[in-house]
Amino acid sequence: PYIESQLDLVNLVLDSKAGIQASAENLTKQILNLLQNPEKHAEISSAARQIATEARGATQRTLQVLETYLGK
């Protein structure tokens, strides 16, 4: 609902066409549009999966970098 603290993620998702930003006023319209347009739904789903695949392991990579500074 509130994504002000995640603007980098929002920009990544929108720039990658992996999601649609909707307001409360047009959420129903956006959902209906996706339900009526399976090609668009498939494009968004595919782009979202790609982002998730690329991000997989990010926490582990971050921990590895931190460990070098923490002497572990």
Side-chain angles (χ1 to χ4, degrees), residues 29-54:
K29 179 182 174 185
Q30 294 290 349
I31 292 170
L32 290 173
N33 184 36
L34 289 174
L35 291 172
Q36 295 169 352
N37 189 342
E39 296 84 17
K40 181 70 172 173
H41 180 265
E43 290 172 13
I44 291 172
S45 296
S46 177
R49 276 191 296 280
Q50 183 65 33
I51 289 174
T53 299
E54 291 172 4

Side-chain angles (χ1 to χ4, degrees), residues 4 11 17 22 28 32 37 42 63 67-69 71:
E4 289 84 11
N11 290 331
K17 299 187 181 354
T28 301
L32 290 173
N37 189 342
L63 287 173
E67 285 174 351
T68 63
Y69 292 102

Side-chain angles (χ1 to χ4, degrees), residues 61-72:
R61 290 190 300 272
T62 300
L63 287 173
Q64 289 172 342
V65 170
L66 290 174
E67 285 174 351
T68 63
Y69 292 102
L70 297 174
K72 292 193 174 199

